[in-house]
Amino acid sequence: MSQLSRLDREIATAQHAFIALCFLRNSHTPVSRLPSEILTHIFSFFRVSHLDPPDSPCFPPSWIAVTHVCRRWRDVALSSPGLWTNIVMNNKRWMKATLARSRNAPISLHLELTYMGVRTDPEVVWVALSHARRVKEISFKGSYLDPYLRPLFKLAAPLLESLHLCDKSSSFDLRKGIFLLGQAPKLQSLKLEGCIVNWNSPLLFCPTLTLLSISFFDRAPQHRLSAVGLRDILMALPNLQYLTLHNMIPTPMSTLEDPDAKIHLQQLKTLSLSTDVATDIMGVISHLLVPENATLRVECNAFGQGYQDSPTSPEVPLATTLASFYETTSMSNSERARTDGYHAIGFASPDNKYTLVAGTCYPLLSSEQPDPDHPYSSCSTLWDPEVSLSVAWRNWESSNPPIQSLFQFASAFFPLSNVQTVFVDCFFFRRPEFWWTVFGKMKHVKRLVVSDNLAFDGFVRALQGEGNTSGTAQVTESHAMLAQLLPADRKGLPRLPHLFPALTHLTVEGVDFERQEQFEALLDVLSYRCFKRSGLKRLSRLYLRKCNVRHEHLVSLAGCISHEGVDWDKRRRDAHAFSKPKIRMLDELEENTYFFA
Amino acid sequence: MPTIVSVDDSTVPGEGSSRLLLLVSSDNKHIVVEEDIMSRSRFISKQVEGFEATSQRHAILLPFSSFVLNKVIEYCSHYRGYYLLEDDPDAAPPGRSPVREWDQEFLDVDRNMLLRIIKAAHYLEIKSLVGSCARAIADMIRGKTTEEMREILGVENDFTPEEEHSPSSKCTG
C-alpha cells in the first residue's frame, strides 16, 4: 500500500514537473511572446468574427475556446475587461462571471426570453440592471418583459447608446413612469417593438438619436400617436438617419394646424413605413422632406380595416404619390383581399438608390395584364444596366406560390431580363420548376448569391436543366463530354436551355458539402459550367460562405475552376445547423436584411 | 527603446519630395525610406518630431530584422497617402468588416513571419497593420478545436488538472 502511495506521489510530482516544463516551453514560443495588448486584440477579432451572432443567447459563447489554449492566453483573456462586456442573462453564473470580468468597462445587456423556453429569474436580471450606469447597450426580447425591466424606471443610463425592447406579448407599458428617468444623453438607437409607448418620454426627444424604430405587432389605436406628436418628435431629432414606423402610423396628418407643414429630416437615409391603409402612409410622406438619396420602404399589408378615423377608398393611388416623391413605386391595397402568402421583390442600383416593390400579391395580380392606364404605369422607374435583384421567399410553407404572376406584373415596369446580380434567400425546398419560373428569363445574370442548405438541392437540379418546361433536355456529364468532342459552334447539337447562362461568379452560403451527394452535385455543375465549349459563359469564381467543406473537396473544385477561382471563408457550422429548417418570424426580417444584403 | 545615432549627411542619399529617414534593423541593415511612407507609424512620427528639435539627421535603430522591416515598409508604401480608419486614434473597436483584399495577400505568410510582423507593427504603432495581422491570426484559429489551435500555434497544454476543472475554467467554457 505504501509502495502504491509512493508511486502515486511520484506520478503527481512528475505531472507537475511536466506541466511546469510545458509552461516554460510555451513561454519561449513566438505566440506567447506577443505582448498582452496584441493578444487581446487577436481575441477581440476572434470574438467578433466568430460564428455566434452578436446577440446570440448562447452561453458560454464559443469564442472563449481561446481561454483553453494555454495558461498565458487564459490569463490575458481574463484580465481584459473589454472582452467580457457582452452580458447574456440567460445563465446566472455566466452573467455574474462576465459582470465581474468586465470590471468597469461599458457593457451590453442581452436577454432573449424565448430561448429554449427557459424562463429567467427577474432577480437575476436586476443584478445586471443595477450596473445601469455603465450600460452601453440594452437588448431585451421576449414576452411579458415588465417584471424584468421594472428597475429601469428608477435608474439612469448615462452611457446608453442603444436600447432595443421587443415584447411579443405587446404588454410592456412604458407609461408606468419615466423610463431610465429620462436620462440617456448618449442614446443613438431606440427600437421599441410591441411596447406601449409613452409619447412624452424624453427618450423620444433625445437629439442624439440617429435611429428611431417603433413597431406594433397588431394595430393599437389606443396607443396611437397624434400627428402633432409625431411632428414634435421628428422636429426634435436633427440627426435622425433611420425612421421606422410599423403599424404605428399616426392620426391623419390632415389634423395638423397647417396641412401643408413640412418636416425636414436632413440626415435621413431610410424611411420605412407599414400599415393597413395606404392613405395613412401618403399622409406621412407628404409631410416629410428627406434627402434625394434616401431609401423609402413601404409595406401596405391590406390585411385589416385600418383605423376607424382613417379615410379608406377601394383604389388608392399610392404608387403615383410615391413615384412623384422619390422615383419609387409601391403596391397598394387597391383591393382588399385575403392573402395567405407574403411576397416581396426589391430592386437596387449600384449607387444604393433603391427602388423597392413590396406588398401582398393578390390584390395586385387580380388583373392578368397591367393596364396601361393604371396609376402604376405612370411611375417613373429606376433603370440601370447594372440593376440587381434580391428575392426572398418569406412564406416558405406556401405550397402554391403566385410568384410567377408577381414577376409578370413586375416585369411590366422593370426590365427583369437585364438583371445582372441576383441574391436569393429563403428558397427552402423549392423545386427546380420554381427556379425556372422565377429566373428562367433572366439571361444576363452574372453574379448569383444562393443561401441555405435547404435551397441547394432545387437550385443545383435547376442548374442541371431539370424543371425547365420550355425544354426537356438535361445537362449531364455526357452532354459535357459530347460537347467536348464537337467543334466550337456545336453544329448539329440542339442548343440546351440553361438557367443563368451568363453566370460567372457564384456564391453559395450555408451549405453542407460534407454531404457527399451535395458536393458531387456541385462538382457536376462546375465541371460543365467551367468547360470552355459548353456554350455558356465560363464560371470563373466560386465563393463558399459558411459552408462545411473538406480539404480534398476544395482541391477537386479548384481542379474545375482554377486554384484562384475558389474562395472559401473557412467558416464552418455545426452539422446540426444544417438539418433544422430556418423559419424566421416576420418581425425578425428587418434585422436579417433580406432585401439588400 | 531604439538607439538614436547621429549620421553624416553623406549616409543619406538624394533629396526627394519627402525627407529621408535611415532605419537600421537588428541585423544591421541600413534602409533609407521617405518620411512620408513611414508617417503611418506613430512611433516614427514621434521620433521625427524629436529630431526637429535638433538640426542633425538621425538614424533609427529598430529591434527587428531587415526582412520584417522591409515587409512593414512594403505595407506603408502601399497605403502611402491613404486614410485608413483603423489608424485614426478615435476609431471604433474592431468590427466585422472584412479584411482588405490586398492585406489578405500581403499577410499570406507563415505563422512565425505573421507574428514577427504584428510585433513590429505594434512596436512601430501602426494600428491598421496590427489590426490586419490580428485578424489574420484570429482567422487562422477560427472554427478550430482547442487541440487544433495549440497545434497551429505550436503551444502545449500547460494547465494543471485542477485548473482545467476549476469552477472558473467552467465559466470559460
Side-chain angles (χ1 to χ4, degrees), chain A residues 19 23 25-26 29-30 34 37-38 45 48-49 52 54 64 67-71 73-74 94 101 569 571, chain B residues 94-96 112 115 118-119 122 131 134-135 142 146 149-150 153-156 158-159 163 169 171-173:
Chain A
I19 288 162
F23 181 72
R25 183 197 172 276
N26 283 351
T29 58
L34 291 176
E37 305 98 285
I38 294 182
F45 277 116
V48 296
S49 66
D52 299 332
I64 63 166
T67 64
H68 290 185
V69 171
C70 63
R71 211 185 295 176
W73 277 35
R74 180 179 290 186
W94 174 247
R101 286 171 197 169
D569 63 358
R571 295 177 70 181
Chain B
R96 285 170 177 254
N112 286 341
L115 295 173
I118 196 173
K119 271 179 84 172
H122 179 68
R135 205 186 293 250
R142 188 171 57 191
T146 309
M149 286 188 207
R150 285 184 192 131
L153 299 166
V155 295
E156 298 289 338
D158 57 4
F159 290 116
E163 281 171 329
S169 156
C171 264
T172 54

Side-chain angles (χ1 to χ4, degrees), chain A residues 322-448:
Chain A
L322 294 174
S324 62
F325 188 68
Y326 269 122
E327 294 187 344
T328 303
T329 182
S330 178
M331 301 176 180
S332 76
N333 54 336
S334 58
E335 288 175 29
R336 292 193 182 283
R338 186 183 154 274
T339 61
D340 61 359
Y342 187 99
H343 318 288
I345 56 175
F347 298 82
S349 64
D351 61 357
N352 289 334
K353 190 173 179 182
Y354 296 132
T355 294
L356 175 70
V357 178
T360 49
C361 308
Y362 282 116
L364 295 152
L365 302 169
S366 52
S367 59
E368 287 181 5
Q369 293 296 323
D371 177 0
D373 296 327
H374 194 278
Y376 306 131
S377 59
S378 65
C379 299
S380 55
T381 57
L382 194 90
W383 161 238
D384 188 299
E386 283 289 334
V387 74
S388 68
L389 169 69
S390 180
V391 182
W393 185 255
R394 292 189 183 193
N395 189 354
W396 74 285
E397 288 174 319
S398 173
S399 57
N400 184 23
I403 200 164
Q404 187 174 7
S405 307
L406 180 67
F407 271 80
Q408 279 171 356
F409 177 84
S411 60
F413 304 106
F414 299 94
L416 288 181
S417 59
N418 290 315
V419 167
Q420 296 191 12
T421 305
V422 172
F423 301 86
V424 185
D425 201 356
C426 298
F427 270 40
F428 310 137
F429 305 119
R430 289 290 144 208
R431 296 176 60 78
E433 294 81 0
F434 187 74
W435 285 83
W436 276 95
T437 301
V438 177
F439 301 111
K441 289 183 181 170
M442 297 182 198
K443 304 286 187 193
H444 301 286
V445 174
K446 291 178 181 170
R447 293 169 186 272
L448 175 66

Side-chain angles (χ1 to χ4, degrees), chain A residues 134-149:
Chain A
R134 63 178 177 115
V135 169
K136 197 169 77 170
E137 185 187 359
I138 295 176
S139 172
F140 279 30
K141 296 177 190 173
S143 300
Y144 303 102
L145 292 180
D146 187 74
Y148 300 92
L149 289 166

Side-chain angles (χ1 to χ4, degrees), chain B residues 123-141:
Chain B
Y123 185 88
L124 291 168
E125 297 178 61
I126 306 173
K127 277 178 73 179
S128 54
L129 183 53
V130 171
S132 291
C133 292
R135 205 186 293 250
I137 296 167
D139 284 347
M140 211 159 66
I141 55 173

Side-chain angles (χ1 to χ4, degrees), chain A residues 377-563:
Chain A
S377 59
S378 65
C379 299
S380 55
T381 57
L382 194 90
W383 161 238
D384 188 299
E386 283 289 334
V387 74
S388 68
L389 169 69
S390 180
V391 182
W393 185 255
R394 292 189 183 193
N395 189 354
W396 74 285
E397 288 174 319
S398 173
S399 57
N400 184 23
I403 200 164
Q404 187 174 7
S405 307
L406 180 67
F407 271 80
Q408 279 171 356
F409 177 84
S411 60
F413 304 106
F414 299 94
L416 288 181
S417 59
N418 290 315
V419 167
Q420 296 191 12
T421 305
V422 172
F423 301 86
V424 185
D425 201 356
C426 298
F427 270 40
F428 310 137
F429 305 119
R430 289 290 144 208
R431 296 176 60 78
E433 294 81 0
F434 187 74
W435 285 83
W436 276 95
T437 301
V438 177
F439 301 111
K441 289 183 181 170
M442 297 182 198
K443 304 286 187 193
H444 301 286
V445 174
K446 291 178 181 170
R447 293 169 186 272
L448 175 66
V449 180
V450 181
S451 291
D452 210 275
N453 205 42
L454 302 177
F456 185 74
D457 179 59
F459 165 66
V460 83
R461 279 163 56 199
L463 275 190
Q464 287 168 329
E466 194 179 327
N468 176 25
T469 50
S470 63
T472 52
Q474 290 196 7
V475 180
T476 61
E477 215 167 310
S478 57
H479 276 110
M481 288 170 67
L482 182 59
Q484 198 170 15
L485 297 171
L486 289 168
D489 57 359
R490 302 167 73 218
K491 278 178 189 170
L493 185 72
R495 188 163 281 277
L496 300 172
H498 295 286
L499 195 61
F500 304 122
L503 191 66
T504 56
H505 290 62
L506 172 63
T507 303
V508 181
E509 289 183 349
V511 176
D512 185 9
F513 289 115
E514 291 192 345
R515 277 176 57 192
Q516 192 64 20
E517 68 274 20
Q518 298 209 136
F519 170 71
E520 282 174 5
L522 177 70
L523 196 62
D524 182 46
V525 165
L526 288 191
S527 63
Y528 188 76
R529 289 275 173 163
C530 302
F531 173 56
K532 279 180 191 172
R533 292 181 184 173
S534 64
L536 303 166
K537 280 270 185 188
R538 191 176 178 186
L539 191 73
S540 57
R541 291 283 279 182
L542 172 68
Y543 301 90
L544 301 175
R545 299 283 175 259
K546 296 185 206 170
C547 292
N548 284 6
V549 58
R550 294 190 190 122
H551 178 71
E552 60 267 30
H553 289 167
L554 288 171
V555 174
S556 304
L557 295 172
C560 281
I561 299 184
S562 71
H563 176 63

